């Protein structure tokens, strides 16, 4: 009988000790407050009543993006005309990506699809339950709304769906379909809404990247390198010219392979649909963050928050994301493994240390990451490392370790060297370097960590 | 009377415990299902055999202990309450309870040594198995990464192929892992193979296994097996799950060739895709 109070006392003591160790993480909040950076910029600039200005920018963000717990995009007139809604990105996927999403769904929802098929065959009315992570959420509501008459037992799985052409109207292009077909379609071409993707981000990414993607999650604060601030729209390991917005497929591949040598894990076990949804959410956070930054910039310039300027910022930022594919960096054919001779590597070494490519200035003569060009004079005259876009000190990679964050294949390194690394001090290769020069650099870099069949690293 | 009731209760408890150690496997087997995941690795049945064997001894010994306990409760105490009976210096008993457990322990030790060697031999595919496939495994908080030697069979050359999370392996061919850890201790664990081994930083840990082609087919040719980290390695330990992908040798060769070549191929925008849009 004395058990209960004493367990309670024990639990309380445990809790107290956890508190006193300071191990209780902050509870990140979802809010559409503007960031501290925005407040600081407005306060510093010549903006009248900066508090009011900040509140107006916050209000504008809510208007354009909803709140992070009820996200959505404000549709511009042009989109309405084109029937485009970036909040429902299913329609933006390439055919290949759409097929990959369907393939992934067939595996992820195999149990549901099988159950619907069995129910159709048995002439049963019951529908299968949603898989656990989706149960009770937004998806459940969507599902119930779509199949309400079925759930209520008013119609049968074999009955004609109201959206279907009747038997008389049906044609080969537009065949009739039943409630059962519709239920199968629901699972086979399932695509997460922004809200569902936000939920996935909340469980898988938030503790590092933070609720609004600022890279300030409770775990993220102790990491080196810090998790990316996703509100910037600037990424390092892309397939586009540096500092351009990444392509959808590029981001999916990034999530699948993770960032080797950092805390960023590989999310290869997520289905393609989930990954595409996460890309939607990354884009949401970025477009929102960039719009906030640009609106703040305009407000500082103009001394006031003008609705027209916020709208201009929204349009400009979307322009950047919409042209991502145009800046995709094609990789020309390079030498095959057999063609990578000692001469190619020697040519790469010469370029690496030469003044045109000038890699050695940062990476050091032997590629150990100990070059001189990374140092600068700080505010108090001290010698300090140059900072990257996010205020972190630069550490040029030690290329002899053979750990490449953006991927270690020759094509990955080609892109890295050709376009530089977004947000960091590593510049794009000099335009006068030819494709062959870049390939030579790639193979010199790879040779630094290659053991040539000898065991051990 | 009271004593007899307590003794019977003790006995009942003993039966319950012993049965619960052995029964689930029998019941599930009778229902046509498995207590353990499928045995897909060569030598896996030896691990299960060893488990069952050890379990049987443990259950038997525990059963005997309960019987002794019940007997002690019923007959061992003195006739009147509060009055114990005393025994000392029984050489026969001393010898019995030293020799019997020692014999059991020696027996189990020998059985394990034998099983360990047999499993190691089986895992290498036994006699006449082809050359093993070497794979370098890197455990890192919180991912599994793999390096394959590529067509030339040598590591540290340009045609090496790397993979993260997914670990394709040919069915029926011996595989030899060389495992390293970048940070803390991880543990490579694939339940279906009955293989689990710690991956310790600062050293290369070998581990060999072979997926039994027949067992794999009999189990419905599963395309993925979970590879878990079985050593608590930090906050992301729960998510440190890879996938072993058993496939036919030719499918594996295709995969390796394609993945290797992809790193060298030109990547251009497909024109026809744009035209169609
Ligand atoms: Cu681990």
């Amino acid at each position: 009988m004395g058990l209960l109070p004493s367990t309670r006392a024990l639990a309380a003591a445990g809790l107290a000790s956890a508190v006193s160790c300071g191990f209780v993480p902050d509870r990140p909040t979802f809010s559409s407050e503007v960031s501290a950076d925005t407040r600081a910029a407005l306060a510093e600039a010549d903006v009248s009543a900066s508090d009011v200005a900040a509140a107006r920018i916050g209000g504008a963000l809510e208007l354009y993006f909803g709140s992070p717990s009820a996200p959505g995009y404000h549709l511009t007139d042009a989109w309405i005309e084109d029937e485009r809604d970036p909040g429902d990105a299913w329609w933006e996927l390439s055919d290949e990506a759409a097929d990959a999403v369907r393939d992934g769904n067939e595996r992820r929802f195999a149990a549901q699809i099988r159950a619907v098929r069995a129910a159709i065959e048995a002439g049963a009315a019951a529908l299968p339950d949603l898989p656990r992570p989706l149960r009770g959420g937004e998806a459940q509501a969507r599902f119930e709304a779509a199949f309400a008459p079925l759930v209520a037992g008013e119609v049968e799985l074999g009955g004609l769906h109201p959206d279907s052409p009747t038997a008389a109207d049906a044609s080969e292009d537009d065949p009739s379909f039943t409630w059962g077909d519709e239920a199968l379609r629901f699972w086979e071409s399932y695509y997460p809404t922004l809200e569902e993707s936000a939920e996935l981000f909340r469980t898988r990414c938030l503790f590092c990247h933070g609720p609004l993607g600022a890279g300030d999650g409770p775990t993220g604060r102790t990491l080196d390198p810090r998790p990316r601030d996703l509100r910037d729209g600037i990424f390092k390991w892309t397939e586009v010219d540096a500092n351009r917005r990444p392509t959808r497929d590029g981001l999916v591949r990034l999530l699948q392979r993770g960032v080797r040598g950092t805390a960023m894990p590989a999310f290869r076990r997520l289905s393609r649909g989930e990954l595409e949804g996460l890309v939607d959410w990354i884009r949401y956070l970025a477009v929102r963050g960039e719009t906030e930054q640009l609106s703040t910039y305009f407000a500082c310039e103009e001394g006031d928050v003008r609705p027209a300027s916020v709208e201009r910022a929204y349009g400009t930022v979307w322009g950047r994301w919409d042209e991502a594919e145009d800046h995709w960096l094609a990789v020309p054919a390079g030498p095959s493994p057999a063609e990578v001779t000692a001469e190619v590597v020697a040519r790469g070494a010469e370029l690496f240390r030469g003044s045109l490519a000038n890699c050695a200035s940062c990476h050091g003569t032997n590629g150990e990451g100990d070059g001189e060009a990374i140092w600068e004079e700080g505010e108090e005259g001290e010698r300090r490392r140059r900072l990257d876009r996010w205020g972190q000190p630069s550490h040029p990679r030690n290329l002899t370790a053979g750990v490449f964050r953006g991927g270690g294949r020759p094509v990955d390194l080609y892109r890295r060297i050709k376009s530089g690394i977004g947000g960091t001090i590593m510049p794009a290769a000099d335009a006068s370097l030819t494709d062959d020069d870049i390939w030579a650099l790639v193979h010199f870099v790879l040779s630094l960590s290659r053991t040539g069949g000898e065991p051990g690293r | 009377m009271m004593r007899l009731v307590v003794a019977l209760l003790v006995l009942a408890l003993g039966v319950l415990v012993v049965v619960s150690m052995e029964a689930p496997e029998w019941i599930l087997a009778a229902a046509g299902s498995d207590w353990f995941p499928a045995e897909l690795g060569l030598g896996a049945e030896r691990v299960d055999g060893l488990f069952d064997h050890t379990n049987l001894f443990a259950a038997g010994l525990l059963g005997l202990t309960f019987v002794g306990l019940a007997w002690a409760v019923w007959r061992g105490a003195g006739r009147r309450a509060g009055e114990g009976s005393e025994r000392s210096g029984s050489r026969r008993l001393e010898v019995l309870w030293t020799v019997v457990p020692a014999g059991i322990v020696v027996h189990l030790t020998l059985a394990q040594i034998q099983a360990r060697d047999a499993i190691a031999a089986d895992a290498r595919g036994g006699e006449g198995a082809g050359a093993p496939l070497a794979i370098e495994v890197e455990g890192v908080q919180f991912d599994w990464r793999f390096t394959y030697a590529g067509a030339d069979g040598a590591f540290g050359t340009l045609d090496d192929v790397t993979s993260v999370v997914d670990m394709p392996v040919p069915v029926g061919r011996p595989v030899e892992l060389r495992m390293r850890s970048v940070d803390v201790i991880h543990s490579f664990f694939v339940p279906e193979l009955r293989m689990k081994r710690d991956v310790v930083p600062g050293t290369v840990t070998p581990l060999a296994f072979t997926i039994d082609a027949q067992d794999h087919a009999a189990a419905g040719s599963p395309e993925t097996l979970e590879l878990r980290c079985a050593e608590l390695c930090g906050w992301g330990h729960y998510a440190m799950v890879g996938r072993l992908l058993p496939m036919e040798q030719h499918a594996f060769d295709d995969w390796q060739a394609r993945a290797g070549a992809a790193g060298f191929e030109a990547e251009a925008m497909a024109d026809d895709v744009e035209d169609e849009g």
Side-chain angles (χ1 to χ4, degrees), chain B residues 137-140 179-186 199-203:
Chain B
V137 178
E138 183 182 286
V140 47
M179 308 191 292
R180 290 165 222 265
S181 164
V182 172
D183 32 49
V184 299
I185 302 180
H186 301 280
V199 184
V200 182
T203 179

Side-chain angles (χ1 to χ4, degrees), chain B residues 9-31:
Chain B
L9 278 178
V10 168
L11 211 58
L13 185 66
V15 170
L16 200 71
V17 171
V18 169
V19 165
S20 72
M21 285 173 77
E22 292 293 342
E25 189 166 358
W26 298 334
I27 296 172
L28 283 170

